[in-house]
Amino acid sequence: MKFLVAMSRPSRRGHLQSTTRLIRTLRRTATWIVCVLALHILAMIIFEGMVPFDALWLTATTVMTVGYGDLSAATVPGRISTMVLMYMGGIYVLAKAVGDYTDYRAQMANEKARGSWRWNMRGHLLIIGQPVGNAEQYFIRLTDQIRAHESWIDIPILLLTEVFRNRRLPSSLADRGIALWTGNPTEIQSLEAVTPADARAVVVLAESGTDSAADAGVFDTVDRIRGAGFVGPIVAECVDQLNRSRLMRAGATTVIRSVHGFPEMAARALVAPGAERLVENLFTAEGDECRRYELPEIWHGTWTELTLRLVTAEIGIPLGYADPEGCIHSNPVGRAIEARAIFVIVHDRHQASAQVQIARLLRG
């Protein structure tokens, strides 16, 4: 899977200074090596009487430690020049430069894993906050569900959270191309580091699934993101549904219940805006409700026929059924079925009489 992730400068001032020092060191090293090589070429021309190309060939094979043996220094001054210039002044310095660069790459990889590397992303999905419980599994399920949608397959994902502070980003998330910034959205530096204005979409998680005080933190984060110039969709979690309108006024485009055990809710809100309200209704007893109705006898027929009967009679909309063995099947379009019970979305005014109506409608 390809992810459009680009890296920029290190995150904090100390890291930026480290990068600057490395660049300066590499530049000085490169200049030093060029001078050493030029002097060795000149020494081979003067002491060994080589033509310029042969001197260049000998210098190149020596510094790369290849040593074909077709050319070599024969005079004492030539050999001394090779030992001083190439062995001490060239190969050692080149090896040290390679070592410095390798150390820098290792440091960079460590900073990325610990969430202290600043990513310069564009068109990414920004997920802010920390779910209650197993955060690793929550983020896995959430991101997998989002990327399962055809228009979000290659979306780069960046987490702004403190849940992995003092430890590394789990490999299960890193292997999915998920990047991490360890910080709090109330910190200006942290919010700037995740470039919210350049994101494609933002998901803001509440720090609690039951404490309505968490809504204040979500409100503040949404307001800050809009203040940073972000104009895309923001999916925000809300504990107290009375705060839903306040979050919408703050700039959230979609507000969902804080259900940290069900990250698929946030995924639906992102890839199919509005679907989350339908899913929420299935969890409540108000208005339309998904109910199970036992049938007086096993019903044989097609799913299309069963659906048409219930919809035409204005009883409700079937979602699935239980077969004689008790296995649950969801919307088996085009299939012949044997149903022992059916699951139907029924409006509250029909719920009391639906059992009788369904039994009469599907009998025989």
Side-chain angles (χ1 to χ4, degrees):
M1 190 178 292
K2 298 179 180 178
F3 304 107
L4 308 178
V5 179
M7 295 174 294
S8 70
R9 55 194 180 280
S11 57
R12 297 184 173 91
R13 180 177 299 178
H15 300 156
L16 182 58
Q17 292 174 346
S18 177
T19 303
T20 302
R21 285 195 299 269
L22 176 65
I23 293 174
R24 290 175 179 173
T25 298
L26 292 177
R27 286 177 178 173
R28 286 195 299 267
T29 301
T31 302
W32 171 264
I33 291 176
V34 169
C35 292
V36 168
L37 297 181
L39 289 174
H40 187 264
I41 293 172
L42 184 60
M44 294 302 100
I45 294 174
I46 295 174
F47 299 131
E48 302 296 330
M50 294 182 181
V51 297
F53 182 79
D54 286 345
L56 174 62
W57 173 255
L58 176 59
T59 300
T61 56
T62 302
V63 77
M64 298 304 295
T65 67
V66 176
Y68 289 108
D70 54 342
L71 292 173
S72 62
T75 66
V76 173
R79 291 176 176 178
I80 293 176
S81 298
T82 298
M83 287 188 294
V84 173
L85 293 174
M86 300 303 293
Y87 298 156
M88 298 176 59
I91 297 176
Y92 170 76
V93 174
L94 182 61
K96 185 178 185 304
V98 172
D100 290 343
Y101 180 72
T102 301
D103 291 342
Y104 172 76
R105 294 286 296 182
Q107 177 186 353
M108 181 177 65
N110 183 62
E111 291 175 1
K112 291 178 182 177
R114 293 188 177 279
S116 57
W117 180 268
R118 179 166 178 171
W119 302 81
N120 184 27
M121 288 190 180
R122 301 184 67 88
H124 57 292
L125 169 61
L126 176 58
I127 302 176
I128 299 175
Q130 49 197 62
V132 177
N134 191 326
E136 178 181 350
Q137 288 302 313
Y138 179 92
F139 286 131
I140 287 175
R141 288 169 57 187
L142 174 59
T143 55
D144 284 355
Q145 283 292 310
I146 291 172
R147 284 177 172 162
H149 194 275
E150 62 275 6
S151 63
W152 295 80
I153 292 177
D154 292 331
I155 186 73
I157 296 176
L158 177 58
L159 306 179
L160 170 54
T161 180
E162 293 185 301
V163 72
F164 301 116
R165 186 179 290 279
N166 299 323
R167 59 192 180 104
R168 301 173 67 87
L169 180 70
S171 58
S172 57
L173 297 178
D175 292 344
R176 285 171 165 78
I178 297 173
L180 169 68
W181 175 268
T182 299
N184 191 301
T186 60
E187 302 170 352
I188 296 178
Q189 182 188 37
S190 292
L191 199 59
E192 289 178 347
V194 295
T195 56
D198 295 326
R200 176 179 172 182
V202 178
V203 175
V204 183
L205 305 176
E207 293 187 356
S208 172
T210 56
D211 187 358
S212 60
D215 291 347
V218 175
F219 181 94
D220 181 69
T221 300
V222 171
D223 182 67
R224 287 175 180 269
I225 292 172
R226 289 303 184 195
F230 178 67
V231 296
I234 298 178
V235 176
E237 284 191 335
C238 180
V239 178
D240 187 345
Q241 294 306 297
L242 296 178
N243 292 324
R244 184 186 291 267
S245 59
R246 294 182 63 247
L247 287 171
M248 296 291 286
R249 289 196 299 271
T253 51
T254 303
V255 180
I256 62 175
R257 293 179 182 272
S258 180
V259 187
H260 287 177
F262 192 62
E264 289 79 3
M265 179 79 78
R268 289 298 91 201
L270 191 64
V271 303
E276 77 287 345
R277 298 303 300 272
L278 301 179
V279 175
E280 282 185 13
N281 288 342
L282 299 181
F283 286 94
T284 64
E286 294 82 19
D288 296 336
E289 182 181 352
C290 181
R291 287 197 170 192
R292 173 174 176 148
Y293 294 99
E294 304 293 333
L295 303 182
E297 57 189 42
I298 302 299
W299 189 84
H300 301 269
T302 66
W303 179 252
T304 301
E305 180 186 357
L306 184 148
T307 301
L308 286 174
R309 286 193 185 186
L310 268 65
V311 172
T312 302
E314 298 185 349
I315 296 175
I317 302 175
L319 295 180
Y321 72 96
D323 63 22
E325 286 73 36
C327 296
I328 307 301
H329 305 270
S330 175
N331 192 29
V333 177
R335 287 169 46 186
I337 67 171
E338 294 182 343
R340 186 182 74 184
I342 58 176
F343 298 88
V344 185
I345 297 180
V346 184
H347 193 273
D348 54 1
R349 71 170 180 267
H350 294 308
Q351 289 169 8
S353 59
Q355 179 67 68
V356 175
Q357 294 181 57
I358 291 173
R360 184 186 307 118
L361 192 65
L362 300 181
R363 180 179 291 111

